[in-house]
Amino acid sequence: MNLYDLSGSGPESEKFDPLLSTDQFRIERIISHAHATPEGEWYDQAWDEWVLVISGSAGIRTANPDQEFTLNAGDSYSFPAYQRHRVEWTDSNQPTIWLAVHYNEPKEAES
């Protein structure tokens, strides 16, 4: 897969492409077209996540601590497990392409 290939993506919805998954981590590519987390919703996940903006830009808000910042192409950020966060906006002039690495995911209980 070419990370810059935008086929199959469009402004109607974000596109999530799984790239690699093991017992220790998941890597996915996300393509956003002027998207934002719906008002009042937060990501609050039980695992750590590192994101890298490959192209475009995005505004991020976190809770605890409450902060808002911009990620531009080449910028990355690490969200620890249970850090509430949301995407306030993504670039409206070009697609924002993200690389997301999810790690330290809780293992499902063995039966």
Side-chain angles (χ1 to χ4, degrees):
M1 164 186 280
N2 183 311
L3 293 177
Y4 296 103
D5 180 3
L6 301 177
S7 59
S9 73
E12 59 283 344
S13 64
E14 287 185 296
K15 185 171 191 243
F16 295 82
D17 294 315
L19 301 178
L20 180 64
S21 183
T22 74
D23 290 342
Q24 288 80 36
F25 63 89
R26 279 185 304 120
I27 300 174
E28 66 184 352
R29 176 187 72 163
I30 305 165
I31 302 173
S32 306
H33 298 269
H35 289 98
T37 306
E39 193 63 37
E41 292 184 22
W42 293 84
Y43 292 104
D44 188 8
Q45 55 212 33
W47 57 86
D48 300 312
E49 179 180 11
W50 175 82
V51 296
L52 168 68
V53 174
I54 296 171
S55 67
S57 57
I60 305 294
R61 176 174 291 283
T62 62
N64 298 329
D66 181 21
Q67 59 184 1
E68 188 169 343
F69 53 92
T70 299
L71 295 176
N72 293 301
D75 291 338
S76 66
Y77 188 81
S78 184
F79 300 99
Y82 301 107
Q83 181 181 44
R84 291 177 46 172
H85 61 282
R86 51 180 286 113
V87 178
E88 293 290 315
W89 55 268
T90 60
D91 203 313
S92 60
N93 296 316
Q94 64 177 321
T96 298
I97 302 175
W98 311 75
L99 193 63
V101 179
H102 304 269
Y103 57 102
N104 294 328
E105 291 186 274
K107 303 290 183 232
E108 292 188 28
E110 303 268 337
S111 40

